[in-house]
Amino acid sequence: MVDRAVDSLQMVARELSPFGGDEGKTRTLRMSRTLAAPIGTVWAAITEFDRIPQWFMPVAGEAMIGGHYQLEGNAGGEILACDAPRTLRITWEYAGDVSYVTVNLAQKGSGATLFDFEHAADVEPDRWAEYGPGAVGVGWDMGLLGLARHVELGIATPLETPEWSASDEAKAFIAGSSELWAEAAIASGDDPDAAAAAAARTTAAYTG
């Protein structure tokens, strides 16, 4: 674990698919990071409803396959697969849109865990042009940082608090995340100038 939040951004591998799917509107965002914690610890942190609020946000629902969850003030959905301690798949439903989140865990040497994350969604081209992958990628970067702090350091305070969000550390982290997602978009084939402009708008939206 690194001391500064912004430095942790370099510990994450990011990848973005081109537009695809039946209607040519599907894009998949992928992230991976090695966490210095056993796979059982990481699995408990992402699946136990009393643990999730310690690093992410309050959640209610039924922690079982076919059960539904609801994050306070955010997304809800259905638990589609839960193969302990390796695979979790859920729907991510927000503002009438339905997308899919998959987390795969793999045990590594020295008690570490490889955390692989995938979010597949249908997006309209004009919405993508405005904000690009950072619209959700920045939030997932913050969530992954919160998870890392929790499983590696035992910190039981979510990052997305008003105090942290207003800090210089948070603003630097958000800007850095936006830029890295722009790089992933460019690597996937997006126009560099459009990707950079979308990243700037995402940073402004997150930081106010």
Side-chain angles (χ1 to χ4, degrees), residues 61 78 85 99 125 127 144 152 173 184 186 188 191 194:
E78 181 181 354
S99 53
R127 186 192 302 181
L144 182 50
E152 295 182 349
F173 182 88
I186 293 167
S188 76
D191 175 76

Side-chain angles (χ1 to χ4, degrees), residues 29-104:
L29 172 154
R30 299 183 178 92
M31 308 168 66
S32 64
R33 173 177 172 171
T34 297
L35 299 170
I39 191 171
T41 298
V42 179
W43 179 258
I46 66 172
T47 59
E48 295 180 6
F49 279 18
D50 60 339
R51 291 283 298 276
I52 294 170
Q54 298 181 42
W55 61 271
F56 197 44
M57 60 186 69
V59 61
E62 303 168 296
M64 64 179 71
I65 295 176
H68 289 78
Y69 72 92
Q70 179 62 55
L71 294 163
E72 187 175 285
N74 205 289
E78 181 181 354
I79 299 171
L80 302 175
C82 188
D83 181 18
R86 302 197 178 276
T87 302
L88 175 68
R89 188 167 189 262
I90 60 175
T91 63
W92 186 263
E93 304 176 23
Y94 185 76
D97 294 329
V98 179
S99 53
Y100 298 87
V101 168
T102 303
V103 178
N104 287 302

Side-chain angles (χ1 to χ4, degrees), residues 1 4 25 35 52 54 69 71 75 83 85 115 137 139 154-156 161 164 172 184 186 191 196 202 206:
M1 191 71 195
R4 295 199 316 151
K25 298 193 298 183
L35 299 170
I52 294 170
Q54 298 181 42
Y69 72 92
L71 294 163
D83 181 18
F115 178 94
I155 296 173
T161 61
W164 189 79
I186 293 167
D191 175 76
T202 294
Y206 270 93

